[in-house]
Amino acid sequence: MSDPLCDGRQISEIAFRWGFNDPSHFSRVFKRQFGSSPRDYRCRILSSRA
């Protein structure tokens, strides 16, 4: 999610790449692990680069 090479990829594409076949499940697991949704995490990372 924080890799600049993934900036152009959708979150669901990243989830599928990591073996998840359900974007909703990926979002729940991600939020449990990192404390925020993938979208919020990505927005925070991208805004910190600007």
Side-chain angles (χ1 to χ4, degrees):
M1 299 296 292
S2 60
D3 184 345
L5 297 175
C6 293
D7 285 354
R9 292 194 176 139
Q10 293 181 353
I11 293 170
S12 60
E13 288 180 77
I14 296 168
F16 293 139
R17 185 173 183 269
W18 284 97
F20 289 86
N21 57 9
D22 179 6
S24 297
H25 178 66
F26 172 75
S27 291
R28 287 189 300 271
V29 171
F30 188 94
K31 187 170 186 173
R32 195 176 324 131
Q33 180 68 33
F34 296 101
S36 64
S37 70
R39 180 179 294 166
D40 291 343
Y41 181 85
R42 178 179 253 185
C43 286
R44 191 169 53 249
I45 293 298
L46 293 176
S47 67
S48 71
R49 288 189 203 149

